Amino acid sequence: MYKIIKRVMDFIISLCALIVLSPLMLIVAILVRVTSPGPAIFVQQRVGKDGKVYDMYKFRSMCVGAEQQEGGVFCTKGDARVTPIGKILRATSIDELPQLVNIIKGEMALIGPRPVLTYYPKEWHEYTKEELKRFDVLPGVTGWAAVHGRKTNTVEARFAYDNYYVDNLSMWLDIKILFMTVKSVLTNEGNEDDGSAEVVTAESEKKE
């Protein structure tokens, strides 16, 4: 029953948010296009529930071809590949707003483990049984790992937090994560990787 209620609420909240925030999203899309060459929306394949691969949407915050440049899939503080408007989008997490469409499509949830790349940290067949637990639920825009270190987490720590979330699914945990997310966004806590953690924050410009 909780999962049904969660899905219905995710759909309603995301649809309403998309309608209310559409003027802001239009302005952001225009700013991204006019301030750097390339599309406004960045599309990247991610691994979702039960290993299903889907296209995740974000506002583009880095230059086109960023993954092929020095730094690869890692983005650290002061990365020159991040566009001027991209710095603001990443600091405020506005770049994540297009994922509301992913939620409406049933590919993501508001809260859940952050989706991993198809090739990082591992290929699908390389995950252990314990690591696969995080794929039992829809990936989220924010989650338990995101409010405990965000981009400064190691891969191992992130997976441990994700498994804790899966093992303790409840409406109250989701509400707690929601409030903790607001605090993290307002303070920008843990939103910049100092290079010491093995986390994925860069964007691949290659559409698979």
Side-chain angles (χ1 to χ4, degrees), residues 54-160:
Y54 70 99
D55 290 329
M56 188 185 79
Y57 310 121
K58 297 179 70 173
F59 282 120
R60 182 173 57 82
S61 61
M62 303 181 78
C63 63
V64 173
E67 190 182 47
Q68 284 72 48
Q69 299 179 22
E70 184 178 354
V73 297
F74 297 99
C75 179
T76 56
K77 185 176 180 180
D79 197 310
R81 297 171 299 173
V82 179
T83 65
I85 188 66
K87 293 178 181 179
I88 299 175
L89 298 181
R90 294 168 76 91
T92 57
S93 295
I94 290 176
D95 60 325
E96 309 285 358
L97 288 180
Q99 287 162 47
L100 291 170
V101 176
N102 289 121
I103 296 175
I104 292 174
K105 292 172 64 179
E107 298 164 334
M108 293 183 67
L110 285 173
I111 298 172
R114 282 297 293 165
V116 296
L117 293 164
T118 56
Y119 56 88
Y120 187 91
K122 296 180 180 182
E123 297 282 351
W124 177 255
H125 66 275
E126 296 176 327
Y127 287 109
T128 66
K129 183 178 180 180
E130 185 67 15
E131 291 170 338
L132 286 172
K133 187 186 296 183
R134 71 189 304 279
F135 299 103
D136 289 343
V137 298
L138 288 172
V141 177
T142 185
W144 193 237
V147 296
H148 286 87
R150 297 181 76 180
K151 296 175 182 176
T152 60
N153 274 333
T154 63
V155 171
E156 292 77 12
R158 183 153 50 104
F159 274 45

